[in-house]
Every structure is written in structure tokens, then in C-alpha cells.
Amino acid sequence: MSTLRALLITSLCMVSAAAGAQEPNCALRVCPGKAPNPHGDANYQFKTTSRVYKDGRDEMFVTCVQNTGGKDMEVNWVIPGPETVVLKGCAVTAPRPFDTRQVLDNHKGCLRYGASWKWTKAPFIPHATDAGSISSEVGDCRSLYVVDTQPAPSEPRDIRIEAERFGSSVYEEFQRTLSRIFYALSIDVNREEKVYKTSIKITITSAYKDQPEYYSKGFEIRASEEIGSTEYMASGSGNAQGGEFVDGGVIEYTLPIPDKAVQRFLRYRVLSSDDKQVASFDVPIWVPASNVNP
């Protein structure tokens, strides 16, 4: 082997090693909680956890997916979340705050993962309001999922949550546009004026630190209409429906406190610039019981 060829091979190996050692831009590396459940196949390996704990006035039902394999992995844990890309060496949580600890028996919930979207089932601790969705998870997980809407009286409360999602702003250019979508949620209640204000601060950066080829065309983050409260949402002020975000921004809105309120979760869909859903996250919302679909 010539000296020049040896130098070229050595240089290529060094570049490849440097690329492989790229540091992920994630806040969490390991799922909190005891007794993680392993999953995977020849291409993807990951662990899942589920836990419930008291956080101030809230009962936090938190699920987590930890990517223990060697490649980034798409995941959608249908009922509790998260729905996102989980970077290799990282973990992503889906926090769901409730005002009651109405725990059901552990349920093995349907979860899709990887480039070929394989199905598996992962155990999690459900809240009582998950009962309707759980009853729809039958057979091979290809059934239709519905959101349970049994009324449960609830009152708005101050909440603070920070979490992250990952997805590509151009779905056809997955790796070059893979981004970290960090959101900080705050809910502040003003009982004198009988309103509550929700603020979701969004920051979009590269999924990997010092990623030379990274670029972003931004995301469209839109509220779904799954909770049957369009009329109530229209009574508020702000941009609850979401919008387009390049580097980040704020979704902020103020809603009246209903006389008879029930807590639901408003799901925000994260869409790439080529209109593919790449992630989602849920935000607590209190709606009038009469406006909730039976």
C-alpha cells in the first residue's frame, strides 16, 4: 500500500469516527424510573418506563422511551406518548399532569417504532380517563384509537412542564434536517378574572451539536380538534391553534374557566415543511362538560 493511499484511508477513518461520535443535543439520556422494559429487534433497541409521582398539586403520569441502539429511532407510543424521534443515546418523556391519582392496572399499550414502523406493546400506568382508549387497543394494535371522554370534574391549576421532541423539518431529508423541538409549558390561573393563561415557548435547534450539514425549513405546529371543544376554544384570545415556527416562538392563549370543567389534553401535531407529522405533544386544557363529545 502506498503512503498516500494509507494517509487517505487514515483520514477517512478519522472523519468517519468524528461523525459517529457526534454529540446529541438532548437533555435526557436515561429514563427515570425503576425496572425499565427492554424492546427491539436486529435494527433498533430501546427501553421504556412508566411512573406516577406527586409534583406540587399535580399527579404526574410520565412515560419514557430510551434509545439504547446505534441509530436514531422514530417512535409513537399511542395512548400515553411520546410521539417523536428518539436520538441514539437519548431518552424522551411524555409528562401528563392530572389533578387526581386515579390509577388503573398496568396496561400493555401499543407502540410503533423504527423506519418500518413495527408494532410492539409496552406496559404503562394508565389514568382512569384512558379507559376508553385502552378498550380500543385489541388484537394486533391496528384498531382505531379513540379518546375516552367520561366527565371527571376538575379545576384549572398552575402548571410548569419542560420537555423535548425530535423530528425532521424536511421529511425526505431526515438526517440533515433532524431538529430538537424543546417546549416549556406554563399555565397560570387568575381566579379573580375567571381565566387561565397557557404559554408554550418553543425553541428549535439542531438535534446534534456541531452538525455541519444541518439546516431547517421550520415546522408547522397545529392543535388537533380531537377533544370536541371548537366553540369553547373560539371564546378565548390568542393563538391556540398554533402556527409556523423556524427557530422558535410562542403559542399563547387565554381561556375562560368553565363553570363545570373537565380536564382534557389538547394535542399539538408537529408537521414538517413537506406536511408529514413527525411528532406531537399534549397540553392540559379545561373545557365545559357539555361541550365534550360523549
Side-chain angles (χ1 to χ4, degrees):
M1 182 186 296
S2 69
T3 302
L4 177 59
R5 186 179 178 189
L7 287 171
L8 286 172
I9 292 174
T10 302
S11 298
L12 287 171
C13 288
M14 290 176 66
V15 170
S16 177
Q22 200 168 34
E23 185 180 355
N25 185 19
C26 60
L28 193 64
R29 303 299 177 98
V30 177
C31 280
K34 299 178 180 179
N37 295 280
H39 308 270
D41 53 27
N43 295 312
Y44 300 95
Q45 295 82 46
F46 60 101
K47 296 179 180 179
T48 61
T49 61
S50 175
R51 61 186 184 133
V52 179
Y53 62 91
K54 188 79 170 178
D55 184 13
R57 293 177 58 190
D58 292 300
E59 300 289 347
M60 297 296 296
F61 285 63
V62 181
T63 48
C64 181
V65 176
Q66 177 185 342
N67 187 350
T68 57
K71 60 177 72 173
D72 301 331
M73 179 186 69
E74 295 177 85
V75 66
N76 181 10
W77 200 348
V78 178
I79 293 177
E83 179 186 11
T84 183
V85 171
V86 185
L87 305 183
K88 53 182 179 286
C90 292
V92 177
T93 60
R96 299 191 299 160
F98 292 94
D99 55 356
T100 61
R101 186 178 287 219
Q102 294 176 281
V103 176
L104 300 181
D105 290 340
N106 274 20
H107 170 67
K108 288 188 175 181
C110 294
L111 183 153
R112 298 185 77 178
Y113 69 94
S116 59
W117 281 115
K118 286 189 176 181
W119 284 106
T120 189
K121 288 193 173 183
F124 72 94
I125 305 169
H127 188 268
T129 55
D130 294 324
S133 297
I134 287 172
S135 67
S136 298
E137 288 201 334
V138 295
D140 62 357
C141 288
R142 288 175 172 83
S143 56
L144 196 63
Y145 302 99
V146 298
V147 177
D148 178 51
T149 54
Q150 296 178 357
S154 177
E155 287 292 328
R157 57 196 181 276
D158 294 347
I159 291 176
R160 299 289 184 272
I161 291 175
E162 291 184 350
E164 54 193 356
R165 296 290 182 265
F166 296 89
S168 297
S169 67
V170 183
Y171 194 75
E172 299 301 325
E173 297 184 61
F174 179 86
Q175 207 65 41
R176 292 181 64 193
T177 66
L178 187 55
S179 305
R180 176 186 188 240
I181 304 120
F182 175 85
Y183 68 96
L185 167 69
S186 64
I187 296 176
D188 294 287
V189 179
N190 186 329
R191 301 201 179 277
E192 291 183 0
E193 298 184 11
K194 296 185 178 180
V195 298
Y196 65 97
K197 180 179 180 180
T198 298
S199 177
I200 311 165
K201 295 182 179 178
I202 297 165
T203 305
I204 298 170
T205 54
S206 170
Y208 284 92
K209 297 177 180 178
D210 302 321
Q211 185 174 352
E213 293 188 352
Y214 168 79
Y215 74 95
S216 173
K217 286 193 173 180
F219 297 87
E220 192 173 358
I221 301 178
R222 294 291 181 188
S224 69
E225 294 295 337
E226 297 172 355
I227 58 173
S229 57
T230 304
E231 181 181 343
Y232 170 68
M233 294 294 290
S235 69
S237 60
N239 62 332
Q241 295 305 318
E244 296 181 359
F245 300 86
V246 179
D247 299 318
V250 179
I251 298 173
E252 198 166 72
Y253 50 93
T254 300
L255 289 167
I257 298 176
D259 291 333
K260 295 181 180 180
V262 291
Q263 180 183 326
R264 293 289 176 254
F265 285 96
L266 180 61
R267 174 154 294 184
Y268 280 91
R269 303 167 62 231
V270 182
L271 305 174
S272 64
S273 61
D274 41 359
D275 203 34
K276 303 287 186 181
Q277 183 166 329
V278 296
S280 68
F281 58 89
D282 295 334
V283 173
I285 184 173
W286 289 265
V287 301
S290 59
N291 280 3
V292 179
N293 292 332

